[in-house]
Amino acid sequence: MSEKAQIGVTGLAVMGRNLARNFARHGHTVAVHNRSYNRTKELVEEFGHEGTFLPSESAEDFVASLERPRRVIIMVKAGGPTDAVIDEFAPLLEEGDMLIDAGNAHYLDTRRREAALRERGLHFVGTGVSGGEEGALHGPSIMPGGSVESYQALGPLLEDISAKVDGEPCCVHVGPDGAGHFVKMVHNGIEYADMQLIAEAYDLLRQVGGHSPSEIADVFRGWNEGRLGSYLIEITAEVLKQTDAATGKPFVDIVVDQAEQKGTGRWTVQAALDLGVPVSGIAESVFARALSGGADVRKAAADAGLPGPSATAGAHEGDLQADVEQALFASKIVAYAQGFQQIQAASKEYGWSIDPGAMAKIWRAGCIIRAKFLDFIKQAYDKSPELPTLLVDQYFLEAVSGAQDAWRRVVVTAARHGIPAPGFASALAYYDGLRAERLPAALIQGQRDYFGAHTYQRVDKKGAFHTRWAAEGTPEVEA
């Protein structure tokens, strides 16, 4: 075979196929391979006119069709299937070649794989790709990890096919080993929170405001023209406007109200617990999906007739639509603030040196959480790279402070009407926790010292202290 490919893709389901087409459309010769050769043939037959594809039936021929250093993108299911592909291809590669996992792998798996392949002289590049199948074809946001050396050989190709904002690619080297997959995981966690908050806004406008889905679609279209402008707000309007052809009912009313999940949101929360970072907004969105999916438990509660608030809950005190917009924006800021704080904590823990401003920059297009206010996040970190939380940046501080009265009214209204709004409520609680001069954690430390002699610190002197709690009389304090 005389012609060589600049990049190869193995695993030609929708995402892999579209990535391969994207490379070909940009003038790159693409080697393609799939466990079932029929899928490879179908790709070439249907889309061969889009560029140059080099199909291979065997792994050996696929590797042989690639120029050095070989760049092999793996697009298979996370977990065991990814390990199986690595085990198949690694022996066929030579020092300096690279395997690129562009699926939603767990970052700890990526760290393990990168270390093992590094010992064999191979580069393993865990790469987050956001934007779904449309993004994969037309330009995704790309978050590659791995070594600096691997990015020098791979980066220009990824930047070429990525989404662009003012000519700038939505792709940057995130950091070593699992950094790329970690950032993509947190991106998905923020996505979970964003979607939950939007759903709560819809629910309040419908149940309290009495608006139809079509009317709420118009509200969201209006919001999309302002500071809430984002991909998720845009598609929410489209979903709410849709009418089911079979029944004539609003589309949203014929869909079973059980949200599914593939695990990245849950991973985000688990990682945050390990890092000791409070991502309460993201956690509540994951739990809300779990609650929605608990059909048996929900039915048992309905059958038992769990009571709600009295019928005298009253109307919302204020302009509901304007207040919900404020609550949605403020809660969204909190979700992003928590996600970026988690990225910074992991970067410190693992020595990744992630630039948070660069993450905001590459999320401005191509990805699911692309939004207008990512420009302000980038500006915040450009001004202060070590910013402890977005909420202390002047723009976000003013936005959240200005929203808080409306935000509180919305949470109160939800509680009075018995409408679950865990996203709004947890975001507000997080905000109040940050601004509190003193938290009740002092009492918790006293409890811990009482039952477990865990000690505590004092406000008036340094050191660890323990009180010998007596059953009667005055407890004795010892340093």
Side-chain angles (χ1 to χ4, degrees), residues 21 24-25 42-53:
R21 291 174 60 196
R25 287 177 168 190
E42 288 170 0
L43 167 62
V44 177
E45 289 170 0
E46 189 172 356
F47 303 108
H49 63 280
E50 294 183 338
T52 304
F53 297 98

Side-chain angles (χ1 to χ4, degrees), residues 280-329:
S280 50
I282 296 171
E284 286 294 352
S285 68
V286 174
F287 293 142
R289 290 197 190 191
L291 191 151
S292 77
D296 292 344
V297 179
R298 290 172 62 195
K299 184 178 184 304
D303 290 345
L306 289 184
S310 67
T312 58
H316 177 76
E317 297 176 0
D319 183 333
L320 180 66
Q321 183 177 317
D323 283 358
V324 169
E325 190 272 347
Q326 291 270 28
L328 179 55
F329 191 62

Side-chain angles (χ1 to χ4, degrees), residues 463-478:
F465 296 86
H466 166 59
T467 295
R468 289 186 291 171
W469 300 92
E472 297 180 2
T474 303
E476 297 180 8
V477 178
E478 57 185 27

Side-chain angles (χ1 to χ4, degrees), residues 369-399:
I369 64 171
R370 57 186 183 266
K372 290 180 180 177
F373 88 148
L374 281 162
D375 281 320
F376 292 102
I377 295 179
K378 180 183 180 300
Q379 291 169 19
Y381 285 113
D382 284 347
K383 287 185 294 183
S384 179
E386 301 301 321
L387 195 68
T389 172
L390 280 173
L391 293 172
V392 301
D393 174 75
Q394 193 63 32
Y395 172 81
F396 295 107
L397 188 153
E398 291 178 358

